[in-house]
Structure formats: structure tokens, C-alpha cells
Amino acid sequence: MASTNPRAALDVSRRDFLRLCAAASGAPLVSLAPRSAFAAEPKRGGTLRVGFYIEAATMDPHLSGSKIDRQVYHNIYEPLVTLDVKLGIKPGLAESWQQPDPKTVIFKLRQGVKFHDGTDFNAEAARFNFNRMKTEPKSVRKGEVASIDSVDVVDAYTIKLNLKRPDAALLATLTDRAGMMVSPKVAQERGAELERNAKGAGTGPFEFVEWVKDDHILIKRNESYWNKTGGPYLDRVRYRPLMSDSSRWEG
């Protein structure tokens, strides 16, 4: 007999939505509903429509101060390190790291990763990003990377962060926007336009397609994504600002 409890129906709907969000990027799926509800493996294809209560502010992670932006970024851009389900630090664009002394952090970067514009992610690209966060006049990340004095390229896929002082929070900070890598080519050639047009800028499972102001942001699956262990499954994700109650069910 079907449930007549609207709250129960809403709870299932929420679980379905969380599972879809995980499936979008190919993340490991945790069971959020009875096994029978999700018996089949995720299928490729389709568009996920996501509503935000306000519009995003910028597509440049180094200039962003909005929590809405970061929900889009984690599909387009990738940080050097990420968080696991227990909030531990795990590899991202950096395969491993070591701290030989309290004021030095050495990252071994993942090889074979390309930005969406086809350029290589490597040590020079990582150094460019740290320098940009520290020197760009509009950077919102300056305080987050303030403990970093300089960045050395040790070899093509190794960087060394020289710290001004020990910073126990640095790795956690680099799991978010301060660790997200932007294509140097795109940042240099596009300049301020990057705030509205992030085509080619990231390395993530989805690529930026367009941003139509007050209407939507559209991203599509990155067919050349470096992580082949699963996903992304969706063809596209479409984000819309919900300017009114009626707009929540449109488009």
C-alpha cells in the first residue's frame, strides 16, 4: 500500500536529490534510501536542474566570496587536496604531500591531467595559481594563503610551499577555493572576463558552457576527465536562481 504520509514522501525526495548530486560527478554513492529504491546502477545521460535562492557572483574561484559559487566550482574546478567522508584530507590534484619541517610543504602533483582548454596541469600551473591568489588586486583568497611566502617548482610535477610561519590549517584550507587550480592560459588571456566565462578554465568532471544572467548557468560532462574510475554520469547540470516561488518549477 502506498504511503500517504507527505513527510515520508518528502524525505525520500531529499534522499533521491542527494544521491543524484553525488552521481553527477561520479562520486562514490552512499545508500540514502532502502536498497530496493536504487537497485540499478547509475545510467549515463540526462540533465540535472538545480535551483539556487540567489544568482552566483563570479566564475573565478580566486575572486569568489559567495557560498553559492562554490557549489558550481566543485564540478568545474578541482583543489590540490579534498575531504573524505570523515573530513580527513585525501589526494586531489596532488597525489601526495609531505612536510619535512613546520615551514615547508611539498606536493607531488598528479600527472596526465589537462585543463578543459587542453593545456597541461603541472607545477608551473600550480605556482601560477598561488602567485595569482597572493597578488591579484581583487583576490579574496589572500588571507587564506597569507602563510605562504613563496612557491618553488622542484620539477615538472612537484612544488614546494615555503611558509612564513607554521600553518596547521593550510591543508584544510586548500580543499576549498584556495586550492582550486585555474588554467593559466585562460586567466591570462581572458582577464576580467573569466568572472562571467569560465570556458576551458578548470580540470573537473564538468566543463563550463554558458552563464545567462538572471536565468541559468550550464555545465556539461567532461568527456576527457582524468579520473576514469566512475562518472560523471550526467550529460549536463543546469543551475537556476529562484527569483520567485513560481520559478522553482519552471525550466
Side-chain angles (χ1 to χ4, degrees):
M1 179 175 179
S3 172
T4 58
N5 184 342
R7 183 177 180 83
L10 180 59
D11 288 343
V12 172
S13 177
R14 286 171 177 163
R15 289 193 292 265
D16 289 355
F17 177 75
L18 290 171
R19 188 176 177 90
L20 280 171
C21 288
S25 61
L29 297 180
V30 179
S31 179
L32 298 171
R35 183 179 297 273
S36 60
F38 300 110
E41 289 297 315
K43 295 181 180 180
R44 287 171 66 92
T47 297
L48 175 65
R49 290 174 170 83
V50 181
F52 289 150
Y53 65 93
I54 58 173
E55 189 170 36
T58 173
M59 286 296 100
D60 189 334
H62 300 163
L63 310 187
S64 169
S66 168
K67 63 182 180 181
I68 291 294
D69 298 350
R70 75 205 305 194
Q71 296 183 54
V72 182
Y73 295 163
H74 277 289
N75 286 315
I76 299 173
Y77 302 104
E78 294 177 293
L80 292 180
V81 288
T82 63
L83 293 174
D84 61 24
V85 294
K86 296 183 179 180
L87 302 183
I89 308 296
K90 67 176 186 177
L93 289 179
E95 288 187 319
S96 62
W97 56 92
Q98 57 180 306
Q99 192 163 5
D101 62 71
K103 295 174 63 177
T104 304
V105 183
I106 299 173
F107 287 103
K108 286 285 187 181
L109 305 180
R110 195 175 298 278
Q111 300 186 34
V113 176
K114 289 187 179 292
F115 290 102
H116 300 152
D117 64 358
T119 58
D120 292 330
F121 168 69
N122 53 31
E124 289 289 355
R127 179 168 66 174
F128 170 88
N129 275 264
F130 280 111
N131 288 342
R132 182 174 187 259
M133 285 185 276
K134 290 176 65 65
T135 62
E136 163 61 42
K138 294 174 63 179
S139 172
V140 182
R141 308 277 80 83
K142 287 180 181 179
E144 296 170 11
V145 296
S147 64
I148 301 174
D149 185 36
S150 62
V151 180
D152 295 335
V153 171
V154 178
D155 59 41
Y157 291 96
T158 308
I159 59 170
K160 182 174 73 167
L161 307 188
N162 305 301
L163 308 185
K164 299 175 184 177
R165 58 186 179 277
D167 186 353
L170 182 59
L171 282 179
T173 299
L174 296 182
T175 65
D176 201 352
R177 286 166 286 191
M180 290 182 181
M181 299 288 105
V182 176
S183 162
K185 183 175 185 289
V186 169
Q188 291 172 321
E189 292 183 356
R190 198 162 299 158
E193 186 190 345
L194 174 58
E195 290 204 61
R196 303 293 303 183
N197 177 10
K199 286 183 180 178
T203 62
F206 288 85
E207 301 180 43
F208 178 92
V209 176
E210 64 180 5
W211 182 358
V212 178
K213 184 172 173 54
D214 297 327
D215 190 82
H216 70 269
I217 293 172
L218 184 65
I219 60 177
K220 68 177 182 179
R221 181 171 59 230
N222 175 10
E223 301 291 354
S224 301
Y225 187 46
W226 60 267
N227 188 347
K228 306 301 182 185
T229 59
Y233 298 106
L234 292 169
D235 291 330
R236 299 187 172 203
V237 181
R238 183 184 180 96
Y239 301 93
R240 287 198 62 185
L242 304 181
M243 301 303 187
S244 68
D245 287 343
S246 62
S247 70
R248 297 180 187 185
W249 311 110
E250 298 172 1

